[in-house]
Amino acid sequence: NTSGIPVTTHPRWIRINTLKTTLEDQLATTFKDYTRAAEVSEVQKRGGKKIFLDAHVPNLIAVPPSADLTKSAAYTSGALIFQDKASCFPAYLLDPLAEDGDVIDSCAAPGNKTTHLASILASHSPAVDIADPSTLAELPQRIHAFEKDKVRATTLAKMVALAGSEGMTKIHAATDFLKADPESPQFAKVGALLLDPSCSGSGIVGRDDMPELHLPSEAKGGPAAGGKPGGKGAKGKGKGKDKPAEDEKPSSQKRKRDSEEEEKVEVLLDDDGVPTAITSAQDLQARLAALAAFQLTLLLHAMRFPGARKITYSTCSEHNEENEGVVLAALGSEVARERGWRVLRRDEQVGGMKRWDVRGVEGPEGEYEKISEGCIRANKGDGEGTMGFFVCPFVRDGEGGDVEA
Ligand code: SAM
């Protein structure tokens, strides 16, 4: 760096878990010695006690990456959740309201978005009093959290318990979301679904910025914390809450970023954890095509729930194929056309997301032009301090399938 501009790093984003505490309480206690930063750039340098209050997502703060909060009472009690800003977009954008009924989180572990959903649902209910956790269990709405991987489901259960959302969350452990029957009476009240499937993970920020699964050590539960037990394919690089589980992917090959050469080298791991470099553009294209097919299958399944009115689809990938490409394919499907699913326009989106200017790409041939404004992107390294991320909100205002109270 010869420019004289200080090297910036990824800030430590922290979601205030409003099931356990409030932003005001945290500012007065855990962060009482911190001074307010006016810009996110001020917390993108190591050192100092500065705190930035995010302008888009409520109850989200950022501190310098050097601030060690892992031993703070607030963190170990689940009042603070380490979660990248962009990873907070899906639950906030889904904005499940009381009239939306139950919510499905289809790909839930380790549970960052599940617990965020719980916090939002509770915030919409005047009956909830965080000083009395029994009021949470009495909420009429439920979150159905699916996780196919048994070990990761254990981590999910621990995170949900630590975050105080156990009473309102039904965990479908070691259960494939694709096996959930949309017509089953247990899902009759489902009005909103959050889809955050496994992806290439190309938007994940390097190893130092994303501690393992963002759980206090006592809640990690052994090998689940690192993803796959035995550590195959999970050698501590590119770890993050959105790091895909290594064994649920549609292809037998497992891909990760080489953190030393993050922008240049793509690494595939085979079933034995042996790295195989992607040597050609065709290899990468084949990998992306397999992932996109898997992601589209999940999205179309979500669109089949009869009472569903809202869906968010998200990835931590920077590749169009997994993002706008999947959205466009879903909109062209029979189920989307029959049921009237469409992309929620920017002007219809929840306040903070409406103000977020980084939108979907239009594509080299302009193929995504019609949907790009409704889609949301975050680009790593663009000064906003986020990981690379994509989210698209879908809404359905067609006939039938109303959620009953
Ligand atoms: N939403 C999570 C969070 O914010 O903490 C991260 C989800 S991670 C990107 C994807 C997860 O989906 C993995 O844990 C994976 O095991 C799970 N998964 C993949 N396919 C699934 C399926 N068909 N049904 C349920 N879970 C699935």
Side-chain angles (χ1 to χ4, degrees):
N1 176 37
T2 53
S3 65
I5 300 166
V7 177
T8 60
T9 58
H10 201 72
R12 164 78 62 241
W13 289 102
I14 302 171
R15 180 165 62 76
I16 308 293
N17 178 12
T18 56
L19 294 177
K20 295 226 158 175
T21 187
T22 62
L23 178 59
E24 291 68 32
D25 278 354
Q26 288 307 310
L27 292 177
T29 56
T30 313
F31 301 104
K32 66 177 184 321
D33 300 332
Y34 285 62
T35 54
R36 203 69 72 82
E39 304 286 338
V40 71
S41 57
E42 293 178 50
V43 292
Q44 287 184 268
K45 304 173 192 111
R46 299 188 78 81
K49 287 195 161 187
K50 290 204 164 189
I51 185 167
F52 174 73
L53 272 50
D54 189 55
H56 299 98
V57 179
N59 300 303
L60 183 69
I61 60 165
V63 294
S66 49
D68 183 14
L69 291 155
T70 55
K71 293 186 183 68
S72 68
Y75 179 70
T76 56
S77 68
L80 301 181
I81 293 176
F82 291 177
Q83 184 169 356
D84 190 278
K85 172 172 175 169
S87 167
C88 295
F89 288 174
Y92 176 51
L93 188 60
L94 189 66
D95 193 28
L97 306 172
E99 62 264 32
D100 293 322
D102 294 343
V103 182
I104 284 181
D105 185 351
S106 68
C107 298
N112 290 291
K113 298 179 188 74
T114 318
T115 54
H116 193 190
L117 284 170
S119 165
I120 295 170
L121 280 180
S123 73
H124 288 313
S125 171
V128 169
D129 172 6
I130 58 168
D132 176 6
S134 70
T135 57
L136 277 175
E138 284 159 21
L139 260 184
Q141 286 167 280
R142 284 288 163 275
I143 299 169
H144 293 275
F146 287 83
E147 175 50 52
K148 191 168 140 180
D149 183 272
K150 195 173 154 198
V151 180
R152 289 174 66 89
T154 310
T155 309
L156 169 66
K158 286 179 177 155
M159 182 164 188
V160 165
L162 184 69
S165 50
E166 227 170 358
M168 52 196 293
T169 309
K170 175 166 173 41
I171 295 178
H172 299 259
T175 307
D176 185 342
F177 169 63
L178 293 172
K179 302 265 162 59
D181 177 5
E183 303 295 334
S184 163
Q186 67 169 319
F187 305 126
K189 287 205 265 178
V190 170
L193 296 95
L194 187 149
L195 248 90
D196 187 44
S198 307
C199 68
S200 63
S202 63
I204 293 174
V205 179
R207 69 271 172 216
D208 291 337
D209 303 299
M210 309 289 272
E212 286 188 11
L213 296 184
H214 301 233
L215 279 175
S217 53
E218 63 272 30
K220 281 181 188 164
K228 183 81 177 155
K232 271 184 190 177
K235 297 200 186 85
K237 289 177 182 176
K239 287 180 285 203
K241 62 201 170 300
D242 291 311
K243 180 184 179 298
E246 297 296 340
D247 59 345
E248 80 293 357
K249 297 190 180 162
S251 153
S252 65
Q253 291 210 301
K254 326 288 187 195
R255 172 172 172 264
K256 68 168 189 165
R257 307 290 303 197
D258 180 323
S259 55
E260 301 305 319
E261 289 284 332
E262 195 165 335
E263 298 307 323
K264 296 184 198 125
V265 181
E266 306 272 5
V267 177
L268 287 172
L269 302 180
D270 65 17
D271 284 335
D272 296 318
V274 179
T276 323
I278 290 184
T279 50
S280 69
Q282 282 93 329
D283 290 345
L284 179 61
Q285 282 314 310
R287 175 81 181 121
L288 294 177
L291 280 166
F294 156 78
Q295 292 152 348
L296 178 63
T297 306
L298 284 174
L299 181 51
L300 297 186
H301 191 65
M303 288 181 165
R304 292 193 181 98
F305 283 71
R309 293 281 174 208
K310 295 172 168 180
I311 295 174
T312 57
Y313 167 75
S314 52
T315 73
C316 51
S317 164
E318 298 170 315
H319 298 293
N320 300 358
E321 291 86 342
E322 298 179 86
N323 298 332
E324 291 86 356
V326 170
V327 170
L328 204 62
L331 289 176
S333 71
E334 205 177 308
V335 60
R337 281 185 279 112
E338 265 175 13
R339 303 205 175 189
W341 285 104
R342 64 176 175 86
V343 174
L344 187 70
R345 292 190 316 269
R346 180 174 180 171
D347 65 290
E348 299 172 299
Q349 294 172 7
V350 66
M353 293 286 79
K354 212 182 288 187
R355 296 195 306 273
W356 178 259
D357 289 330
V358 190
R359 314 306 291 191
V361 297
E362 295 192 353
E365 315 279 333
E367 60 271 46
Y368 311 130
E369 200 188 336
K370 286 205 174 84
I371 57 162
S372 61
E373 191 64 8
C375 295
I376 287 163
R377 278 205 181 228
N379 300 317
K380 61 180 171 186
D382 72 353
E384 294 284 351
T386 69
M387 69 197 294
F389 205 80
F390 173 86
V391 53
C392 175
F394 292 90
V395 67
R396 174 179 164 233
D397 19 39
E399 293 289 302
D402 281 328
V403 178
E404 284 170 19

